[in-house]
Amino acid sequence: MRKTTATPADMARRVGAIPTQPGPKEASTMTDIVTETVASTDGGATGGAAVGEVVGEALVEADTGAVIAGAGPVTRPGERPTVRLREAGPEDQPRYAPEWLQLREPADAAARAVDLLDPLRIRLANLPNGRSGGLAVHDLGCGTGSMGRWLAPRIDGGQHWILHDRDPYLLHFAAVASPRAAADGSRVTVETRRGDVARLTPDALTGASLVTASALLDVLTREEVETLAAACAGAGCPALLTLSVAGRVEFSAPDPLDEELAAAFNDHQRRGGLLGPDAVGVACEAFADHGATVKVHPSPWRLGPEHAALTAQWLRGWVGAAVEQRPALAERAETYLAARLAACQAGELRVTVHHSDLLALARPTGRV
């Protein structure tokens, strides 16, 4: 996948529908950018999903022939597709690709564990600060905002989403395409914060009603997960952390090389001290140590012929990362990948990529 270099204004001109916005500012916010954007586009009639579709037209321009290391955009050690977890020099430009995030969003939405929503709703309805002031939701490593588009319309009450990411362009897309109505029609607003989500403190989440993240836990270290659990405990807020890799993949037509590639990929995910498929277990322990009640539910991608583009891109990344970890697999993996891609193109391939969703219900702090 090619490096994404277009600015938000470039994207807007390309689709001819989204007006130019002053991109997110470092250490500042963009409250209500969604309302302002839609008002200037069509008088406020367009919903967040429609704006997301327009943004999507600009984002889905992936080079599907590229190998994507780690089943996502090309990254460097210690990075993830939507959040740079380590500090870098000013010359080190973001290399994150919204194309991948846009491609996976429908599969993510279908996979997330709806069984965790009822206990979450009950906890939110009984927070000490009540509903009168609305919910303050922190979305960590928000990417293009898919978590907000999925969750905000599924919970009641006014909501103010604080979107955290290191990439200012992803923050812009997330803000522009945010939903503006909760499940009961209450208003949803948004602001953005550019920064390193691995350095959270309880003060960073002061007043938070909920912390969310998608595909984040598995690219954190043990220390970073413990910091996140402590921050949520300090704020007394629940955390809904979705789509962490589980380390298991199942194909409709098994191949002898499947398990070897899966093991190599899992080792690749653990490089540099990252947790990879061990993340959910570590997170359960960390949140429980702070007195939280933890619930885990499977959230697998179930990819069939209707997901051919995503399946092909995921396959290239999965096999590419496995070979990077174990170069001795290269020759056999090349033949394997060609056969899998041919089956995918023919509509004959089905694959289940296992993930887990985690809901941690921290003890409320009694704040008002």
Side-chain angles (χ1 to χ4, degrees), residues 36-182:
E36 296 166 8
T37 298
V38 173
S40 59
T41 303
D42 61 5
T46 302
V51 175
E53 290 169 6
V54 175
V55 175
E57 293 174 9
L59 301 185
V60 183
E61 296 181 350
D63 175 5
T64 56
V67 171
I68 308 173
V74 175
T75 58
R76 297 186 179 121
E79 294 181 1
R80 69 175 293 251
T82 60
V83 179
R84 189 187 302 276
L85 297 175
R86 312 296 186 274
E87 290 295 337
E91 74 285 354
D92 193 3
Q93 297 299 314
R95 303 179 71 226
Y96 315 125
E99 297 95 338
W100 168 251
L101 303 180
Q102 181 72 15
L103 187 61
R104 65 175 286 171
E105 183 168 346
D108 286 350
R112 289 191 179 96
V114 295
D115 288 355
L116 296 179
L117 291 182
D118 278 347
L120 174 62
R121 292 182 185 113
I122 293 170
R123 174 54 61 89
L124 293 177
N126 289 284
L127 284 176
N129 60 342
R131 290 251 184 230
S132 58
L135 301 173
V137 184
H138 289 254
D139 188 3
L140 309 182
C142 67
T144 56
S146 64
M147 186 66 172
R149 288 189 289 276
W150 181 81
L151 183 60
R154 286 174 167 81
I155 54 178
D156 290 335
Q159 301 166 38
H160 182 66
W161 282 68
I162 301 95
L163 309 178
H164 299 256
D165 208 292
R166 284 194 58 91
D167 189 325
Y169 301 117
L170 294 182
L171 283 171
H172 174 84
F173 296 133
V176 168
S178 292
R180 284 175 300 287

